[in-house]
Amino acid sequence: MKIVLNVIWLLLCGLWMALGYVIAGIICFILIITIPFGIASFRIANYALWPFGRTVVRKPTAGAMSVIGNIIWLVFAGVWLAIGHIVTGIALCLTIIGIPLGIASFKMVPVSLLPLGAEIVSTDEYMPTGPSRM
């Protein structure tokens, strides 16, 4: 099912979203000082291409520099990207078939707001930490 949803996602909106993130990443690399933002942008572009079966996990080792970088990102790019994902998610949710795609778009809002210190992992490999449930 993940493959079917990913292919539909790719055709309807994933390719365009990923292209936007790639363009932003290239601009960040050209400006040199913003290379960490470019790396984060390329990571999100990869996630935007094929979101089903993957999730975003915060790195516990992310330090103060990622917090500062996330604040800068939030002010200059994060808010606009999040608004784009929300608008796209609402548009996708207007049809029954688009509801899972809209949910995937909403799932990208946190990583588009605060990308530094986040890691995108497969849901098959992801094991949440905390108290175990038996």
Side-chain angles (χ1 to χ4, degrees), residues 114-125:
L114 306 170
L116 302 176
E119 184 177 6
I120 299 164
V121 297
S122 171
T123 54
D124 298 334
E125 298 171 6

Side-chain angles (χ1 to χ4, degrees), residues 44-64:
I44 299 170
N46 184 14
Y47 185 46
L49 276 176
W50 211 253
F52 293 97
R54 300 196 293 175
T55 189
V56 177
V57 178
R58 292 279 161 203
K59 292 181 191 175
T61 58

